[in-house]
Amino acid sequence: LDAQPVKVVEIKDGIPMEIRIALDESEDFIEIYYPLTVELADFVQTYNLPLREEGQRMEIPGYMETLAKELDSMLHKGVIVTVDYGYRNAEWQHPARKKGSLRGYYQHRLIYDVLQSPGMMDITHHLHWDAWKAIGKKMGWENGFILKQNDFLLRSGIMDELITHTNPDPFSEESKKNRAIRTLITGEGFSEAFDVVVQAKKVTIPAI
């Protein structure tokens, strides 16, 4: 989901305004403020996105409604597991997230200016988990739980997949599999950065 296009909204002079892109006299990209469309304003209000402070920015994931409808139309019944990085509404209000989460990655480097090197970098954003769950609820999905990836994997019994062996070769298949499992649990902090959100349609979510 984090690779989908988003709108960006900022509170300017107490009013939510959309950030759009234009060209200046030198044909360089610049940001301009534009009044919210009805659809954009409705999304912010419907899902109670915590966009209130002066100067605060936030990515608005209008695509979520379309993708949820497409997924719902394809799924007669089953469990929906979404693994990504994101925040709940309360987490979005942390001062560190005042400027939103829109970021670029270029040659494995984090870039905060997403207008830099157009077409040459991956652009991503953190998900709005409360909005995703609320949209699923409108589809008739049951909301199960949200856990950090490492917690989800541990509760799901991933440690049972570790292989007991006596092969001293660190590049053996057994060693590689065990390292992969440990990386999923620890992962230099990556595992804690990812959330697992579980929802269900016409089935009971299994307890873990």
Side-chain angles (χ1 to χ4, degrees):
L1 295 178
D2 63 277
Q4 300 299 318
V6 291
K7 302 287 187 179
V8 178
V9 172
E10 179 179 319
I11 302 296
K12 182 173 175 58
D13 299 327
I15 300 172
M17 300 288 286
E18 182 183 354
I19 303 295
R20 294 191 177 186
I21 306 303
L23 293 173
D24 62 13
E25 295 81 0
S26 303
E27 295 194 347
D28 292 323
F29 285 126
I30 58 172
E31 296 181 345
I32 59 173
Y33 292 94
Y34 198 87
L36 298 192
T37 62
V38 172
E39 293 79 10
L40 195 51
D42 283 349
F43 192 97
V44 173
Q45 182 175 11
T46 298
Y47 300 109
N48 194 30
L49 301 189
L51 187 63
R52 301 177 182 91
E53 293 187 19
E54 183 67 26
Q56 182 184 4
R57 284 193 178 195
M58 185 174 289
E59 301 81 44
I60 311 302
Y63 66 84
M64 281 186 169
E65 292 183 319
T66 300
L67 287 183
K69 289 176 182 177
E70 290 178 359
L71 179 56
D72 188 70
S73 69
M74 293 186 289
L75 184 66
H76 172 64
K77 66 177 181 178
V79 177
I80 302 104
V81 181
T82 310
V83 184
D84 220 319
Y85 39 84
Y87 301 124
R88 307 290 297 271
N89 279 354
E91 295 172 310
W92 277 108
Q93 298 180 62
H94 192 282
R97 296 171 194 122
K98 186 174 182 179
K99 293 302 181 181
S101 69
L102 199 63
R103 302 287 186 267
Y105 285 91
Y106 179 66
Q107 296 182 347
H108 306 291
R109 292 186 296 112
L110 175 64
I111 307 294
Y112 288 97
D113 179 9
V114 296
L115 301 183
Q116 178 181 324
S117 304
M120 299 296 292
M121 74 169 83
D122 294 324
I123 298 177
T124 184
H125 67 283
H126 278 61
L127 302 190
H128 288 265
W129 286 130
D130 288 329
W132 180 241
K133 292 173 66 178
I135 290 167
K137 188 175 181 179
K138 287 169 62 176
M139 297 290 102
W141 304 349
E142 175 191 351
N143 279 318
F145 52 82
I146 176 170
L147 294 170
K148 290 299 179 183
Q149 176 182 290
N150 52 359
D151 191 14
F152 172 79
L153 292 173
L154 286 169
R155 293 192 190 194
S156 299
I158 194 172
M159 299 303 286
D160 295 338
E161 300 299 322
L162 288 171
I163 301 173
T164 301
H165 66 95
T166 57
N167 191 337
D169 181 5
F171 300 103
S172 69
E173 290 302 316
E174 297 89 348
S175 294
K176 287 193 290 185
K177 180 178 180 179
N178 287 349
R179 278 199 303 275
I181 290 173
R182 292 189 179 98
T183 298
L184 284 171
I185 300 302
T186 58
E188 298 180 352
F190 290 111
S191 189
E192 293 183 2
F194 284 86
D195 297 304
V196 179
V197 175
V198 177
Q199 299 156 292
K201 178 179 179 180
K202 297 181 181 177
V203 298
T204 300
I205 297 175
I208 63 170

